């Protein structure tokens, strides 16, 4: 405080915090901090001194000091102290190299960004850079933080980042993207439509890592879009066991809701059976049989869900068990319900809080289905160490379970409970006894006697509760119990609990004819104490007086009038009201009309006995296991479980389109999937999968592609480029020739495989038989095979992680930028597991690196006016899968090479086109030291590629990325491929479309730019479109397949616009296609007229040709 | 999902807060404090509390309330299970989960919480993964860190996170490959006044400490698996194999973990190892009472009973106890009305006895019920379920070819 500068005198506390330099921040940082009064002053000054030195530490050059400062700041945040004034100092460190420091800065940012939106924007560019980091952990955490900063202005950036991350090669990054979807949605619900698109894409993902998170996003953003689930339903069911436990919970809940809309009720059977019984009385036997021949057949998909969730009952995670239990409760046929009982009872040995929730759910279940829990009755016995709410719940369940057979045991147990020192619990027990007594008529008398004994209990709450319960019981059969009423009348003087007094008075009045002598005397006593009684007692006194007046007016007339007079002047208006009403009703006078004639019938009408029922009776309206169920009231965001549909919706929507023409019928398919599943488990190896595949292939028929793996791969991941494809096929290859250990495993698996059919035998014919069956039924082909999808999913997983492994090995030691990456698949360990980080396979860095330095300025542009466009590079709309031959294996002496355009920004240089080279060794010798020499006859062309490949095993293949600067011309690039022995001259001739990079811009910008490129820069042609090409989709598809350009959203219906720029010089290439039925005008505007005309020619051929 | 987390100690001090979405003012905890006050005992606080805008789900562990704030519908068990997982992780990292350790390691706690939840949805809860991301603090490491400037934070994504075996980290190497399995069985029994068993069950867990290199694949089989009534497994156990062959087959996580828990309910199998003779009576006049408890061994199969503790919850009117224990020490807490008699080892020759008088509040009526006794004990090297433990065999399907070709498997079974 001593060093306070002069300008801070006016508001001294604030001034001391800000060191003059940051005076501009003063206003934004202080409010919300301390509600400083005089008392807090001294404390505060100490605080701000500390903050001063924290700031100094943060601004120092030493990493360790910064780290220390951040640790202290995190400590402040944890304590809930305000550290927001340090924001400017902290945010500077966001780009720190020290990963721990960086993480702590992230923690800080996420906490305070919302409050300091302008300053938070300073950090955005760092995240954008990190989003392209080759380390997947860094990419993921950048996305996490970017999406956690709740600053509305960066919504477009978030959207873009999510879209890119959703196609990332790393499943971990994709998972993070799924999480980010929810964050963006809560920040800006207007993005819903775009987000649903991303969700749709991610739902197709076959990684178990992603499944849980994307379903969570689905539940949050668009739980009503059940149509998105159809195609993924079987996949989700099959993946379920392998998903991490939290994801399982979310998926199970979602599938429960899904199943309730898609399948018919399995419970119908029971209902129908009852109907039949009734019908049997008057229908003929035959008709009944007809009825029964139409039994309920469960949809195979319904069965699939039930079967795949069942093993999860053994999970250690209580919520998973609960989720499966509720799924069975809501979906399974009644007779299958019993399997969940044991697991639920098991949860009762868990923590107190778990017990609480589980007991609540059991209480609801036990009302409807006593039989389920009856064998486990003793598990619900109360322990003296239980918390009160647990005890009451157990009591509730015991009461629900009570029946003629076990009531004596339960009552004996209750006797102990009544004596409990926990009086609230003892009172609850008495109520429970009352409920047992009404529900089971055999024991009513026993219970009643027991309760009467309790009336002499010393504890008041117990007595009062007994009185209330006895009152309820007596209503069922009053005539036999006049002595109990007498007994209670005697006790009346000692009972002070108002509720109990009121109950006794009511009993007196109601049954005054049974106790004609005592009732007037009680009334006399009450008249004396009327003014001191509680309100409920007073009301009952008035009632008693009225009733006695009607039955025994001779003795009680005066008393009644006295009481009515007292009531007339009571403070409570209810009592005054009641008194007035009663007086008019019972005391005949000239004013009172016909009503008083009926007074007796009104007051002394026989009253139905109250039904004592469980407090959990109405809870079944909520889905079990939900928060709403626990609270017994609808929580916000609760999704109602729909009723079963009367008629099942179309089942075929869940069929997944597979490439294989042969389809299997539903039932055998499911059986097969079970066998697949049993092997797959959670860590199926690729061998298993391969065998699975081979097994399947016999029924799958012909597949045109070289490897089955790559078929499933490419069909499953349409959005990712085919680097996946090649790498997966490589890895498959390599894994088949892995080291001895693997073979051992293979053997074992084979053994297993042989065992499996045997075990199947017992249950369901023979494995082979199944296969044959499926083939023969394939003609009927109504169902697609879920087995296909399951095996696919497995293999996809494997290949994914395999490729990851490979990449890691080679990239790990290398620095990040401008270094080559080789996917080398030579020696492979068992592990699907030891992949660490991913190499920057092009997909992961879709954004042009040219533009990244400008992103900050872009952002600032956004800040000024969000409408101002930025020329932004975008990810390619379409990546061609075709590879071109570079070196034939004959000419290459067993070495074959293929190349393809990845359409990604090149990592070697901004002006280079990125290529992917796949080298494969066909012959049996391994090749050493393969490398590419630059042979550039044309000096303008420049080739960059990866380092030498040290070793290429026979049959193995290696993918190399390279960059070629074609200098915006279609001239072929020549270079040499050298092995230790040989040199091969090869050349790559690029298609003109590959020399471009896609960009996005607004439509207005497009027309503006187009206006600048008129005259000789414009080339156009008119063509006649084939009819099938007229649709917007097909035009788009054709254009983007020819050239690597981006689609510009167009407001006019018949004009399609595309934009790109040349890779080397960055000049704009604008393409527009205007449809004028049946003709179309293609216009290309670009400075590079040669490219323009070549493109035009290619577009012409592409658009006039029919077919894909 | 989970919006915020507050840690509150027994005295009602809020000592840590963490928000995963927008910041929620800590005043939301006032509703919790209200409920806490009403409940008297910390155990009686309802786990789910509704407030006008939020829902509070709390657990009470190690004298700390973990209070999480929820805004929308979410399965309550989901949150409860997660909070327990958090507490277990703290225990795993710091040796114990207490207020002081959390305060001492607040940075690591924060980093852990950051990794465990993303936007309120669990991200990484496996201890093997977390330990690769954030290394647990050790004295050695903190010294190395100060010297070399390296950090506790992992720089790469833990391999488990991506694999189908998230619980095991890759590249594990040990010079001594060893695996230990502990079978711990508990009997849970309710006896009535005369000593007859009202209800008894055996609850067992198999704890494992596996230190094996590479990616071992183990199997564990029981001689008599039919005894097991109900089982639950660590996610590493293959369900299908258990269902078909009754063999536990698994790739273990590295280090300590609970492999499975099981339940044996067959009543006749359960033999209660001790008996208790008790006589507690209160006199009608004179506001005093007498207490006499003797504990003796019943079916211990020759093993010694250890850690014997008798706990008596006295009626409220008992003011003090003047007792004499032949063995062990006793302590009566007049506030909580709990009498604890710590006997220790049970000597079959000389049975421990606790005898003496109780003084009651004068004028108060005599309690109508005798208090219940809780007896805790431990027996080493004895499986109460019998027959089960001694027949466990462990096989190795695949062990890495490491420095030792033959894997050494040590079993501690009883």
């Amino acid at each position: 405080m001593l060093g306070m500068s002069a300008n801070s005198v006016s508001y001294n506390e604030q001034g001391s915090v800000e060191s003059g330099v940051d005076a501009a921040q003063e206003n934004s940082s202080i409010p919300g901090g301390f509600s400083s009064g005089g008392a807090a002053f001294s404390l505060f000054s100490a605080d701000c001194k500390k903050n001063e030195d924290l700031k100094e530490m943060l601004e120092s050059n030493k990493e360790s000091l910064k780290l220390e400062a951040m640790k202290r700041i995190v400590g402040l945040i944890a304590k809930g102290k305000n550290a927001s004034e340090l924001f400017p100092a902290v945010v500077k460190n966001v780009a720190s190299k020290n990963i721990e420091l960086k993480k702590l800065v992230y923690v800080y940012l996420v906490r305070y960004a919302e409050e300091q939106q302008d300053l938070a924007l300073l950090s955005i560019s760092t995240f954008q850079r990190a989003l392209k980091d080759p380390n997947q952990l860094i990419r993921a955490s950048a996305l996490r933080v970017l999406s956690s900063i709740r600053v509305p202005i960066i919504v477009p950036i978030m959207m873009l980042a999510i879209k890119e991350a959703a196609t990332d090669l790393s499943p971990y990054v994709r998972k993070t993207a799924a999480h980010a979807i929810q964050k963006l949605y809560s920040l800006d619900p207007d993005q819903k439509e775009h987000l649903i698109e991303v969700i749709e894409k991610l739902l197709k993902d076959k990684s178990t890592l992603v499944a849980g998170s994307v379903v969570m996003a689905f539940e949050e953003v668009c739980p009503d879009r059940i149509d998105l689930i159809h195609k993924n339903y079987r996949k989700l069911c099959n993946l379920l066991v392998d998903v991490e436990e939290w994801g399982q919970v979310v998926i199970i809940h979602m599938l429960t809701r899904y199943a309730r809309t898609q399948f018919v009720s399995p419970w119908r059977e029971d209902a129908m059976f009852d109907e039949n019984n009734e019908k049997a009385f008057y229908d003929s036997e035959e008709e009944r049989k007809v009825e029964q021949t139409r039994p309920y057949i469960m949809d195979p998909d319904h069965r699939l869900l039930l079967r795949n969730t069942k093993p999860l009952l053994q999970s250690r995670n209580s919520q998973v068990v609960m989720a499966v239990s509720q799924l069975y409760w809501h979906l399974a046929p009644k007779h299958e319900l019993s399997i969940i009982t044991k697991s639920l009872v098991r949860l009762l040995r868990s923590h107190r809080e778990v017990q609480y929730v589980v007991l609540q759910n059991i209480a609801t279940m036990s009302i409807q289905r006593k039989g389920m829990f009856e064998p486990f009755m003793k598990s619900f016995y109360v322990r003296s160490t239980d918390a009160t709410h647990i005890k009451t719940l157990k009591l509730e369940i015991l009461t629900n379970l009570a029946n003629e057979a076990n009531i004596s045991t339960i009552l004996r147990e209750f006797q102990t409970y009544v004596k409990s020192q926990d009086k609230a619990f003892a009172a609850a027990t008495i109520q429970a006894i009352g409920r047992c007594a009404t529900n089971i008529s055999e024991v009513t008398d026993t219970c009643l006697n027991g309760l009467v004994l309790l009336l002499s209990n010393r504890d008041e709450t117990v007595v009062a509760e007994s009185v209330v319960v006895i009152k309820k019981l007596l209503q069922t059969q009053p005539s036999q119990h006049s002595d109990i009423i007498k007994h209670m009348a005697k006790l009346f003087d000692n009972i002070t609990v108002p509720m109990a007094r009121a109950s006794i008075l009511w009993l007196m009045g109601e049954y005054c004819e049974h106790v004609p002598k005592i009732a007037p005397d009680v009334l006399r006593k009450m008249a004396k104490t009327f003014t001191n009684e509680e309100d409920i007692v007073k009301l009952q006194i008035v009632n008693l007086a009225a009733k006695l007046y009607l039955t025994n007016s001779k003795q009680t007339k005066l008393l009644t009038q006295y009481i009515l007079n007292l009531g007339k002047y009571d403070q409570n208006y209810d009592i005054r009201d009641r008194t007035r009403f009663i007086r008019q009703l019972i005391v005949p006078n000239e004013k009172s009309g016909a009503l008083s004639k009926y007074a007796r019938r009104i007051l002394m009408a026989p009253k139905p006995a109250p039904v004592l029922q469980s407090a959990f009776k109405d809870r079944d309206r909520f889905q079990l296991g939900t928060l709403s169920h626990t609270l017994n009231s609808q929580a916000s965001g609760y999704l109602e479980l729909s009723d079963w549909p009367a008629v099942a919706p179309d089942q075929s929507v869940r069929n997944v389109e597979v490439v294989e023409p042969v389809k299997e019928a539903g039932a055998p398919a499911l059986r097969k999937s079970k066998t697949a599943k049993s092997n797959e488990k959670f860590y199926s190896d690729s061998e298993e999968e391969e065998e699975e595949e081979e097994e399947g292939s016999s029924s799958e028929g012909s597949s045109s592609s070289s490897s089955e793996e790559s078929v499933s791969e490419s069909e499953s991941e349409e959005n990712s480029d085919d680097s996946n494809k090649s790498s997966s096929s490589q890895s498959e290859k390599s894994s088949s020739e892995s080291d001895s250990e693997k073979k051992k495993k293979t053997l074992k698996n084979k053994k297993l495989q042989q065992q499996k059919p045997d075990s199947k035998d017992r249950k369901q014919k023979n494995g082979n038989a199944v296969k044959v069956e499926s083939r023969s039924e394939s003609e009927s082909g109504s169902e697609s095979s879920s087995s296909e999808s399951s095996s696919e999913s497995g293999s996809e997983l494997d290949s994914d992680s395999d490729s990851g492994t490979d990449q890691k090995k080679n990239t790990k030691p290398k620095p990040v930028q401008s270094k080559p990456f080789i996917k080398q698949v030579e020696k492979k360990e068992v592990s699907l597991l030891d992949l660490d980080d991913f190499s920057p396979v092009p997909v992961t860095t879709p954004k042009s690196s040219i533009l990244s330095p400008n992103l900050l300025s872009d952002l600032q542009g956004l800040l000024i006016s969000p409408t101002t466009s930025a020329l932004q590079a975008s990810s390619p709309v379409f990546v061609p899968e075709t590879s071109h031959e570079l070196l034939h294996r004959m000419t290459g002496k067993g070495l074959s090479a293929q190349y393809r355009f990845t359409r990604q920004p090149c990592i070697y240089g901004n002006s280079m086109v990125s290529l992917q080279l796949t080298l494969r060794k066909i012959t049996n010798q391994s090749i050493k030291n393969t490398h590419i020499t630059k042979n550039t006859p044309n000096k303008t062309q420049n080739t960059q590629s990866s380092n030498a490949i040290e070793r290429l095993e026979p049959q193995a293949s290696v993918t190399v990325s390279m960059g070629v600067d074609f200098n915006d011309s279609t001239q072929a690039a020549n270079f040499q491929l050298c092995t230790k022995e040989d040199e091969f001259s090869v050349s790559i001739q690029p298609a003109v479309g590959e020399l471009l990079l896609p960009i996005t811009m607004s439509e207005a910008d497009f027309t503006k730019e187009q206006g600048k490129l008129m005259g000789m820069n414009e080339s156009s042609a008119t063509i006649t479109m084939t009819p099938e090409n007229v649709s917007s989709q097909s035009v788009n598809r054709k254009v983007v397949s020819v050239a690597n350009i981006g689609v510009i959203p167009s407001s006019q219906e018949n004009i399609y616009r595309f934009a790109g720029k040349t890779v080397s010089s960055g000049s704009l290439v604008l393409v527009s296609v205007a449809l004028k039925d049946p003709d179309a005008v293609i216009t290309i505007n670009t400075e590079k007229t040669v490219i323009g005309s070549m493109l035009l020619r290619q577009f012409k051929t592409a658009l006039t040709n029919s077919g894909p | 999902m989970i919006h915020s987390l507050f840690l509150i100690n027994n005295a009602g001090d809020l000592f840590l807060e963490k928000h995963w979405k927008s910041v929620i003012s800590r005043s939301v905890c006032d509703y919790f404090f209200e409920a806490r006050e009403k409940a008297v005992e910390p155990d009686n606080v309802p786990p789910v509390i509704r407030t006008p805008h939020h829902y509070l789900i709390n657990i009470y562990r190690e004298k700390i309330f973990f209070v999480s704030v929820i805004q929308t519908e979410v399965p309550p068990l989901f949150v409860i299970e997660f909070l327990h997982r958090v507490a277990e992780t703290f225990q795993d990292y710091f040796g114990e989960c207490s207020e002081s350790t959390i305060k001492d390691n607040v940075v690591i706690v924060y980093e852990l919480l950051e990794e465990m939840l993303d936007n309120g949805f669990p991200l990484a809860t496996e201890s093997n993964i977390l330990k690769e991301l954030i290394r647990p603090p050790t004295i050695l490491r903190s010294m190395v860190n100060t010297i070399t400037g390296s950090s506790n934070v992992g720089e790469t994504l833990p391999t488990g996170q991506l694999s189908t075996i998230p619980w095991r980290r890759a590249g594990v190497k040990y010079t001594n490959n060893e695996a230990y399995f502990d079978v711990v069985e508990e009997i849970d029994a309710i006896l009535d006044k005369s000593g007859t068993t009202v209800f008894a069950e055996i609850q067992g867990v198999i704890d494992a400490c596996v230190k094996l290199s590479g990616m071992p694949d183990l199997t564990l089989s029981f001689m008599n698996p039919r005894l097991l009534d109900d089982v639950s497994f660590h996610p590493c156990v293959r369900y299908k194999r258990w269902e078909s062959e009754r063999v536990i087959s698994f790739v273990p996580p590295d280090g300590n973990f609970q492999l499975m828990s099981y339940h044996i309910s067959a009543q006749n199998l359960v033999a209660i190892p001790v008996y208790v003779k008790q006589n507690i009576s209160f006199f009608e006049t004179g506001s005093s009472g007498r207490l006499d408890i003797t504990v003796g061994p019943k079916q211990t199969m020759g093993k010694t009973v250890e850690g014997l503790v008798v706990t008596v919850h006295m009626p409220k009117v008992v003011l003090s106890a003047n007792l004499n224990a032949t063995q062990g020490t006793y302590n009566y807490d007049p506030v909580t009305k709990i009498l604890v008699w710590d006997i220790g080892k049970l000597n079959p020759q000389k049975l421990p006895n606790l005898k003496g008088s109780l003084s009651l509040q004068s004028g108060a009526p005599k309690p109508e019920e005798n208090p219940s006794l809780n007896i805790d004990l431990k027996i080493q090297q004895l499986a109460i379920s019998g027959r089960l433990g001694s027949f466990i065999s462990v096989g190795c399907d695949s062990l890495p070819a490491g420095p030792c070709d033959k894997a050494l498997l040590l079993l501690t079974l009883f």
Side-chain angles (χ1 to χ4, degrees), chain A residues 758-774:
Chain A
D758 297 343
S759 60
K760 253 186 291 162
D761 271 359
R762 265 167 271 136
K763 286 182 207 153
Q764 39 186 257
K765 313 286 177 256
N766 178 313
N768 289 330
V770 172
K771 222 180 288 168
V772 173
E773 212 179 328
S774 64

Side-chain angles (χ1 to χ4, degrees), chain A residues 78-79 144 183 245 316 318-319 349 352-353 383 419 458 627-628 633 636 681 683 833, chain B residues 17 26 43 50 60 73 77 81 85 114 118 159 188 203 215 236 238-239 263 366 369:
Chain A
K79 279 187 212 122
R144 260 181 79 183
K183 300 183 207 167
E245 43 198 3
R316 65 166 172 177
S318 60
Q319 172 53 27
R349 289 175 216 115
R352 178 182 67 94
E353 298 85 5
R383 289 144 208 268
K419 291 184 200 151
R458 212 175 283 121
L627 183 63
S628 306
S633 75
S636 61
K681 295 284 350 204
Y683 27 90
L833 315 148
Chain B
E17 62 177 68
R26 52 166 71 192
D43 270 343
R50 180 175 13 181
Y60 181 63
E73 168 68 50
L77 264 187
E81 180 79 28
R85 210 60 77 79
E114 188 73 30
D118 181 16
T159 52
D188 224 340
Q203 173 67 23
M215 202 52 65
C236 70
R238 298 175 173 94
Y239 294 125
H263 174 233
K366 133 184 157 56
E369 183 214 13

Side-chain angles (χ1 to χ4, degrees), chain A residues 242 672-693 695 748-757 759-760 790 798, chain B residues 238 240-241 244-245:
Chain A
D242 297 347
K672 267 200 67 187
S673 85
K674 192 178 181 186
T675 63
K677 205 67 211 156
S678 63
N679 285 343
E680 198 175 63
K681 295 284 350 204
F682 28 85
Y683 27 90
S684 47
D685 343 66
S686 43
E687 274 85 355
E688 268 177 23
E689 286 318 312
E690 267 176 358
E691 290 192 18
E692 223 34 73
E693 285 288 325
E695 224 180 36
K748 189 200 116 207
N749 286 325
K750 276 198 178 128
K751 228 187 288 164
L752 257 177
Q753 208 94 41
Q754 283 156 358
Q755 281 168 5
K756 278 285 140 56
S759 60
K760 253 186 291 162
S790 78
D798 292 335
Chain B
R238 298 175 173 94
K240 287 273 152 83
R241 187 105 187 261
S244 57
E245 300 168 54

